[in-house]
Amino acid sequence: MTMGTRIIQYIVEELHNGQLEEAIGLEDDLLGSGLLDSLGMMRLIKFVEDEFNITVPAEDMTIENFMNVDAIIGYIEQKQ
């Protein structure tokens, strides 16, 4: 399973209880689209830390790093 697929699967299954009308694309704006609220984003960051064995310091919790799945993948690859 690719990194992007794992992240999308977590968002759909854990943060939306498997109930999403449309599929999430790699470039979909997670916050602007309403897919994630601030609590959901914090849960996603915790998942990323645990799943990919990295630490996300507070200064890295930015829109640029977590706007969409592509940005998250880029951030993880940079940290690993």
Side-chain angles (χ1 to χ4, degrees):
M1 187 179 307
T2 68
M3 198 179 294
T5 302
R6 286 159 59 192
I7 294 167
I8 290 170
Q9 183 177 11
Y10 176 80
I11 293 169
V12 172
E13 291 180 6
E14 298 298 323
L15 302 180
H16 286 276
N17 298 317
Q19 314 259 331
L20 267 184
E21 297 290 319
E22 298 179 24
I24 299 173
L26 294 176
E27 296 182 4
D28 290 353
D29 183 344
L30 298 175
L31 289 167
S33 68
L35 282 167
L36 295 179
D37 58 14
S38 56
L39 179 59
M41 185 57 71
M42 295 309 296
R43 289 177 61 195
L44 178 61
I45 290 169
K46 176 74 172 123
F47 166 78
V48 165
E49 288 182 320
D50 294 345
E51 185 74 13
F52 301 103
N53 199 29
I54 62 171
T55 299
V56 180
E59 63 268 16
D60 286 356
M61 293 179 192
T62 63
I63 293 294
E64 293 78 24
N65 290 334
F66 291 92
M67 175 178 283
N68 58 43
V69 176
D70 265 348
I72 297 168
I73 292 168
Y75 176 77
I76 293 167
E77 289 174 344
Q78 171 193 340
K79 297 296 277 184
Q80 287 183 326

